[in-house]
Amino acid sequence: MGSSLVSEKKTALVTGASRGIGNATAAALAAAGYDLILTGYSHPDKLETIAHDLEKRYSRKVTTHVGDVSDPVFIKEMFSSMDHLDLLVNNAGISYVGLLQDMSDEDWNRTMGVNLNSIFYTCREAIPVFLRNDTDPAGRIINISSVWGIVGAATEAAYSASKGAVNAFTKALAKELAPSRIPVNAIACGFIDTEMNGHLSEEEKQAVIAEIPADRIGLPSEVADAVVLAASAPAYMTGQIITVDGGWI
Ligand code: NAP
């Protein structure tokens, strides 16, 4: 009953694949049989190395695009060369830590542009590509969000607002796309060991870990495994904000 049919050759797009969670997600999807379209921005060399390694290790086709996900022209151009897509993983993101009263308009807009607007741009382009698929589901969208989008964090109001908006966007678009057989879900990460948390001292990291029931920081590969699970979940599972946080919130 209800087995998910996918095309023989599955292709996934992962934004922000040059480091951290996006890099781990690209590797997990390649291992799961996906050809990959990967994006990066300020680390094009790292992106090329990752693409080359995954191509070699898993014998998958991997293509790369370098550009700013908050730029709708870059996103449009990337999709103009795309003839097929099964899975969109919106992962690229930035954090901003600081008191709201000191935050500039530019930093606010940048946070929203990279974390939220980018997802509007990619989904807008991906939906018509998915609708051409003769598969069930026709395509899938997985947004990488944050527990701060659910509970909020002091000194991260803009980041929390951007991820809260991603969560609401996920739920709304899931309703809009359910009749078209396109599940939309989000993975709300807790404290994950990437360069995004590089500004924290060892003492600060231990203070965060002390609040986490799992008593440790999460691994990018654990988020990646959750992406692979969500990418093969029943299509009836849509509009969900799935936390991967060691029981934190
Ligand atoms: P990361 O190690 O800092 O990596 C961020 C990735 O996003 C990089 O590949 C980077 O590419 C890309 N990126 C940043 N700005 C971009 C832009 N303007 N255009 C295109 N790509 C851009 O961060 P991460 O921890 O892996 O974060 C990945 C996602 O997980 C983000 O959405 C983040 O909010 C979310 N998350 C992370 C945590 C955590 O604790 N780490 C917790 C909750 C949620 P370049 O390096 O090439 O510029």
Side-chain angles (χ1 to χ4, degrees), residues 17-34:
S18 53
R19 291 185 287 127
I21 291 167
N23 177 6
T25 298
L29 289 171
Y34 285 84

Side-chain angles (χ1 to χ4, degrees), residues 120-144:
F120 159 49
Y121 303 143
T122 54
C123 290
R124 181 172 59 181
E125 300 300 325
I127 292 162
V129 182
F130 288 153
L131 292 176
R132 294 203 297 262
N133 290 339
D134 186 20
T135 55
D136 191 5
R140 293 176 183 271
I141 298 168
I142 300 174
N143 297 322
I144 304 301

Side-chain angles (χ1 to χ4, degrees), residues 92-108:
I94 52 171
S95 71
Y96 175 92
V97 180
L99 295 176
L100 187 79
Q101 69 210 47
D102 300 330
M103 190 172 195
S104 68
D105 293 357
E106 194 190 12
D107 285 335
W108 174 274

Side-chain angles (χ1 to χ4, degrees), residues 95 156 190-201 205 217:
S95 71
E156 295 191 61
F191 187 40
I192 309 298
D193 194 7
T194 71
E195 287 171 41
M196 187 170 272
N197 294 310
H199 63 284
L200 296 173
S201 68
K205 282 185 185 171
I217 192 165

Side-chain angles (χ1 to χ4, degrees), residues 28-190:
L29 289 171
Y34 285 84
D35 285 343
L36 297 170
I37 302 163
L38 306 179
T39 87
Y41 184 38
S42 53
H43 295 90
D45 295 349
K46 283 189 183 177
L47 185 70
E48 282 315 313
T49 304
I50 288 163
H52 183 71
D53 288 351
L54 293 179
E55 253 176 354
K56 233 169 83 177
R57 191 164 0 138
Y58 297 105
S59 304
R60 307 284 170 223
K61 185 177 172 210
V62 184
T63 52
T64 57
H65 295 265
V66 174
D68 184 349
V69 288
S70 72
D71 175 3
V73 176
F74 165 65
I75 300 297
K76 216 175 225 333
E77 278 175 7
M78 176 169 65
F79 273 86
S80 69
S81 64
M82 209 179 290
D83 53 4
H84 181 78
L85 189 68
D86 299 285
L87 170 66
L88 167 63
V89 183
N90 286 307
N91 167 76
I94 52 171
S95 71
Y96 175 92
V97 180
L99 295 176
L100 187 79
Q101 69 210 47
D102 300 330
M103 190 172 195
S104 68
D105 293 357
E106 194 190 12
D107 285 335
W108 174 274
N109 291 333
R110 184 86 191 129
T111 306
M112 293 299 165
V114 176
N115 293 357
L116 175 63
N117 298 2
S118 63
I119 294 183
F120 159 49
Y121 303 143
T122 54
C123 290
R124 181 172 59 181
E125 300 300 325
I127 292 162
V129 182
F130 288 153
L131 292 176
R132 294 203 297 262
N133 290 339
D134 186 20
T135 55
D136 191 5
R140 293 176 183 271
I141 298 168
I142 300 174
N143 297 322
I144 304 301
S145 188
S146 165
V147 292
W148 292 157
I150 302 169
V151 298
T155 71
E156 295 191 61
Y159 181 80
S160 302
S162 71
K163 295 298 187 178
V166 168
N167 293 346
F169 177 93
T170 300
K171 286 176 172 290
L173 193 62
K175 290 181 179 173
E176 186 170 320
L177 296 183
S180 302
R181 302 170 291 112
I182 302 171
V184 186
N185 292 293
I187 293 177
C189 305

